[in-house]
Amino acid sequence: MDIKQIQDLIRFVSKSGVNEVSIEQQDFKITIKTNQPQTAVVTTTIPAAAAETVATPSITVTTPVVTTPVAEDTSKYITIKSPMIGTFYRSSSPEKPLFVNVGDEIKTGDVLCIIEAMKLFNEIESEVSGRIVKILVENASPVEYDQPLFLVDPA
């Protein structure tokens, strides 16, 4: 499986409401668990000698009961989502000022945050102009691909 297939699988599992999916192939095993709102991915490489003794994997699908709390109407806002898996940072270092705060006016190309993935720090730039209404992720917390980061009022 390549990274695109894994990302598609993560997206499918998170939208389907399944608690856990486990897939084994010749040289790797992937388990995706969604016990919490975020998706956890664990990947383990199986040695070639052990791969011959592994039985056919079974996939158990369980649909949890989901209760949706009453939320404010966010349909008029634009959601800026994470383009990758990594760690979300609101500033370039602890002593530097935050890139954006709630209420800040932003324009296309402004740096909103940094996502660190495999020791690479990627500046995430805004693709829209507007005002930051809500920051949906805590500083220095892990984020998943396509996870909402900011709500922006385009007006």
Side-chain angles (χ1 to χ4, degrees), residues 50-117:
E52 296 172 2
T53 62
V54 175
T56 306
S58 63
I59 298 176
T60 306
V61 178
T62 311
T63 306
V65 176
V66 179
T67 57
T68 0
V70 177
E72 61 186 73
D73 180 28
T74 60
S75 61
K76 63 183 176 182
Y77 302 134
I78 296 172
T79 304
I80 297 176
K81 297 180 179 182
S82 175
M84 64 186 66
I85 296 172
T87 304
F88 173 87
Y89 294 105
R90 292 188 59 198
S91 64
S92 57
S93 71
E95 29 322 303
K96 300 279 181 169
L98 302 177
F99 290 115
V100 293
N101 290 303
V102 173
D104 287 356
E105 292 292 325
I106 61 169
K107 58 185 181 296
T108 304
D110 286 352
V111 176
L112 302 175
C113 64
I114 290 178
I115 296 183
E116 182 258 326

Side-chain angles (χ1 to χ4, degrees), residues 2-14 145:
D2 65 10
I3 191 72
K4 176 77 171 120
Q5 290 173 318
I6 293 171
Q7 289 173 340
D8 290 342
L9 182 61
I10 291 169
R11 213 171 309 125
F12 172 76
V13 170
S14 65
Y145 172 76

